[in-house]
Amino acid sequence: MDYSELLKKRRAVRNFEEKEVPLEILIQIISESCLAPSSSNRQPWHFIIITNKEVIKRLSEDSKRCLLTDIQRNPASPHRSYQSILLDTHFNVFYNAPCLVFIAAPKHILSLHEDCALAACYFMFSACAKGLGTCWVGLGRFMEDRELLDFIGLPEGDEIVAPIVIGYPKGIPEFPNRLGPQILKIVS
């Protein structure tokens, strides 16, 4: 598919077939993600691939617990709007996807969010070009269970920036209406 078609076909997918994504394809997608630009060409990103559904469920539960604790402690929490689904015992933050990939980087890197976001964009476009669906799950980066984070291999000094679920989509959502560009000013 050409670039314009790829831009329109890349959608947030939250409903996946019960089919594993081959590791070779995941490695290829990650390799293509590493072609993304990064500040001073540091390429600080680290990738963690999780295909074990029980581990993904445990990560979801830890994320829900952390978010609910934040809501309880902070009345102005931006996560308050998610409270009802977070309390739902059947809700899985990672949508029961067959695979979860964390893109993380060392916390001391000033541009870690920008660098990992660029790698995540490349990841999602690469996956789309291969017929896979993805969704960047923002709620999935809030976890504190150090034992669990050690188990999945997240270095203590790293921060998860982009938790992305990936799999074969049951369907691709329609392309939503988009606002036109909002150019504030052209200075020439």
Side-chain angles (χ1 to χ4, degrees), residues 163-181:
I164 301 175
V165 292
I166 181 170
Y168 292 95
K170 282 190 177 175
I172 304 292
E174 290 294 317
F175 188 77
N177 289 335
R178 291 285 188 214
L179 299 173

Side-chain angles (χ1 to χ4, degrees), residues 30-100:
I30 288 171
S31 294
E32 291 174 357
S33 302
C34 292
L35 298 173
S38 62
S39 178
S40 299
N41 197 30
R42 280 190 189 98
Q43 305 170 48
W45 38 68
H46 301 141
F47 299 85
I48 297 171
I49 301 168
I50 304 160
T51 58
N52 182 303
K53 284 212 170 214
E54 280 306 308
V55 173
I56 293 171
K57 187 174 189 293
R58 285 177 56 202
L59 290 162
S60 172
E61 292 305 312
D62 189 42
S63 179
K64 287 165 62 172
R65 184 187 53 74
C66 290
L67 290 162
L68 288 167
T69 299
D70 175 63
I71 292 167
Q72 205 172 35
R73 287 185 189 149
N74 178 8
S77 170
H79 304 119
R80 186 164 296 287
S81 63
Y82 298 103
Q83 186 171 3
S84 63
I85 62 167
L86 294 170
L87 289 168
D88 181 350
T89 56
H90 299 292
F91 175 69
N92 183 312
V93 171
F94 302 111
Y95 303 102
N96 300 306
C99 182
L100 168 63

Side-chain angles (χ1 to χ4, degrees), residues 136-149:
W136 181 333
V137 183
L139 294 178
R141 63 186 196 91
F142 300 97
M143 289 168 283
E144 295 174 348
D145 182 338
R146 192 65 243 173
E147 187 177 314
L148 182 56
L149 295 173

